[in-house]
Amino acid sequence: MRVLLVHASRFAYNTVKEAIDSPPDPPSSGEFENCLVAFVTVEVGDGVEEVLRAVGDMVAQAGRLGVRCILLYPYAHLSPDIAAPSLAYSTLLSLENTLRSSWDGEVYRAPFGWYKAFEISCPGHPLAELSRSFKGGQLAFYKGLPLEEAQARGLLEGWLTQRNPWSRETLELVERLGFNGFEGRVTLWELERFIVEELNLQSRVPIERPEHVYGILGVSSLARLCSRSSNLNVLLTWGDIGESMAITSREPLEILGRLGVRVADMVRVALSEEELNVGVRGYSIVYRARRGGAVPLVYELQDRYCLGPLVSIAYAILDSGLKEADEGRTPLIHYKLAPIQVALIPVGESHVDYATTVKSMLEERGVRVTVVKEGGWGLG
């Protein structure tokens, strides 16, 4: 997928004539002000990874520009390797739906399959025009690798025994954001509620506590619990908030991407009956952590997907954010899951009292907020 992002002070278009037989969208016109226009070319092989990465980049750019409008504009002129119209259209729909569900601004899409005339006015500042290319990551190119081959290719740094996979910086961020305290419990509760609603989970089922979380034993233990459930679309729980796992018939990678987990950094590994220890073959989709370890987040067993534990997903979200920062990008984490949703920064000591008042007003509305004071994060 290739995308040209243009900050338009004004953009207008109208359909002229059909570019393909029986376009799936009706003719239309539109006019927009102060909008991020995304000229999108869908290429052969584009799928969920490209959609998720493109959405994250668009939302980040909209945030940098301070705009509340994104227009998706089908544009088959950025690549010589364009996808067939049917695939291009379905991918654009997925792009639109994912963007709408992960961003609270206004989202529009110009009609597909038409020649269109357009007018654009661009302010010309340094961030006004950006060219992007998104190609799939490890999940796209290494579907169902045997565990040994994944290790041999260097995709996994060993297979976690029992060591902690998270980097020192990730753990420091967990502490800095109060993730292990009250705010963290609120975040995990929001994560659980989000997944229950997204997957339409019907009930909570208490189960025995698994023996391990990481490594082959962890995969085996969690997969065994998952396989024993007689129902689909349930949440298995075994302890505190975050110690739970969703069983669903729906492929959950899109949800992980919307939450902020870097799907391109996940590897789908084929596991034998012996490794899973549940009497069937299956797959584990593991997240490659920042310092090289691997954290299982999804298990595929015949008719079901098992997503979790949720606390591992929460850590993977923060770890993904640090990777984005390493690459010079603004990290994207679903706002409902951010331990701190609003940071108030007084420009001087005389403004601290007023900032504290605003903080109390926001907290009354259920917003997690802090006042940033010089030298630290201040009041939590």
Side-chain angles (χ1 to χ4, degrees):
M1 182 180 295
R2 300 200 183 187
V3 180
L4 175 63
L5 298 175
V6 179
H7 181 200
S9 52
R10 178 182 178 276
F11 185 86
Y13 77 86
N14 65 278
T15 52
V16 177
K17 65 178 181 178
E18 296 182 357
I20 61 175
D21 293 334
S22 302
D25 292 325
S28 67
S29 61
E31 186 171 340
F32 309 87
E33 293 183 356
N34 192 29
C35 193
L36 177 64
V37 181
F39 294 89
V40 179
T41 299
V42 179
E43 298 178 291
V44 174
D46 284 348
V48 64
E49 293 95 335
E50 289 78 15
V51 166
L52 293 172
R53 293 177 62 193
V55 165
D57 194 65
M58 290 176 193
V59 171
Q61 178 65 355
R64 287 188 287 266
L65 296 172
V67 302
R68 303 297 300 159
C69 164
I70 296 177
L71 170 65
L72 301 175
Y73 194 91
Y75 197 70
H77 306 292
L78 300 177
S79 170
D81 193 25
I82 62 174
S86 58
L87 175 60
Y89 182 62
S90 64
T91 302
L92 282 167
L93 289 181
S94 177
L95 188 65
E96 178 186 9
N97 293 334
T98 304
L99 188 57
R100 288 184 186 279
S101 62
S102 58
W103 190 56
D104 57 358
E106 298 178 344
V107 178
Y108 303 92
R109 179 176 57 81
F112 180 86
W114 293 85
Y115 292 113
K116 297 178 287 289
F118 67 83
E119 298 177 3
I120 186 169
S121 177
C122 176
H125 55 74
L127 291 179
E129 302 169 74
L130 292 176
S131 177
R132 301 297 203 209
S133 177
F134 304 99
K135 296 307 294 181
Q138 305 300 343
L139 192 65
F141 295 108
Y142 301 104
K143 293 184 182 293
L145 275 183
L147 175 60
E148 297 77 9
E149 188 174 348
Q151 293 173 330
R153 292 192 185 190
L155 297 175
L156 304 179
E157 184 186 297
W159 176 272
L160 286 177
T161 53
Q162 295 305 312
R163 69 182 180 86
N164 194 314
W166 309 113
S167 66
R168 176 177 56 83
E169 292 82 3
T170 301
L171 296 176
E172 288 177 352
L173 180 61
V174 167
E175 293 297 327
R176 182 183 180 188
L177 297 179
F179 204 80
N180 290 326
F182 174 76
E183 294 89 349
R185 292 180 65 84
V186 171
T187 300
L188 290 172
W189 180 78
E190 291 274 16
L191 174 61
E192 181 176 294
R193 186 174 69 169
F194 178 86
I195 288 178
V196 167
E197 292 175 352
E198 284 291 311
L199 296 177
N200 192 28
L201 303 183
Q202 302 300 312
S203 62
R204 299 171 187 269
V205 179
I207 58 172
E208 62 186 273
R209 180 179 295 274
E211 299 173 4
H212 303 279
V213 175
Y214 305 122
I216 287 294
L217 290 177
V219 171
S220 177
S221 180
L222 292 172
R224 185 167 60 252
L225 294 175
C226 179
S227 67
R228 287 178 179 173
S229 175
S230 58
N231 298 314
L232 288 173
N233 303 317
V234 299
L235 187 75
L236 304 182
T237 61
W238 58 82
D240 293 334
I241 295 175
E243 292 185 331
S244 52
M245 181 170 61
I247 299 181
T248 175
S249 56
R250 175 179 166 187
E251 202 276 349
L253 285 180
E254 179 183 345
I255 291 175
L256 286 176
R258 285 163 50 197
L259 288 169
V261 178
R262 295 203 349 170
V263 175
D265 287 344
M266 301 184 76
V267 183
R268 185 171 183 259
V269 181
L271 299 173
S272 68
E273 295 180 25
E274 293 76 19
E275 288 163 338
L276 283 175
N277 193 25
V278 295
V280 297
R281 291 183 59 85
Y283 299 90
S284 177
I285 301 179
V286 298
Y287 168 76
R288 298 173 65 198
R290 189 165 174 262
R291 77 177 190 184
V295 185
L297 296 184
V298 180
Y299 316 90
E300 295 182 41
L301 301 175
Q302 292 182 332
D303 64 339
R304 64 192 60 196
Y305 294 91
C306 311
L307 177 65
L310 300 190
V311 68
S312 295
I313 295 173
Y315 272 64
I317 292 170
L318 297 182
D319 194 79
S320 295
L322 285 174
K323 288 182 180 179
E324 293 289 306
D326 290 342
E327 297 172 1
R329 305 186 204 178
T330 302
L332 176 66
I333 295 175
H334 199 287
Y335 76 95
K336 287 187 177 181
L337 307 180
I340 296 175
Q341 295 172 313
V342 174
L344 300 172
I345 308 176
V347 296
E349 189 64 32
S350 61
H351 300 96
V352 171
D353 289 343
Y354 180 70
T356 303
T357 300
V358 174
K359 174 178 181 289
S360 298
M361 295 170 62
L362 290 172
E363 287 178 333
E364 289 177 0
R365 290 164 173 78
V367 179
R368 298 188 291 279
V369 59
T370 187
V371 175
V372 181
K373 302 183 73 173
E374 184 177 357
W377 278 92
L379 305 174

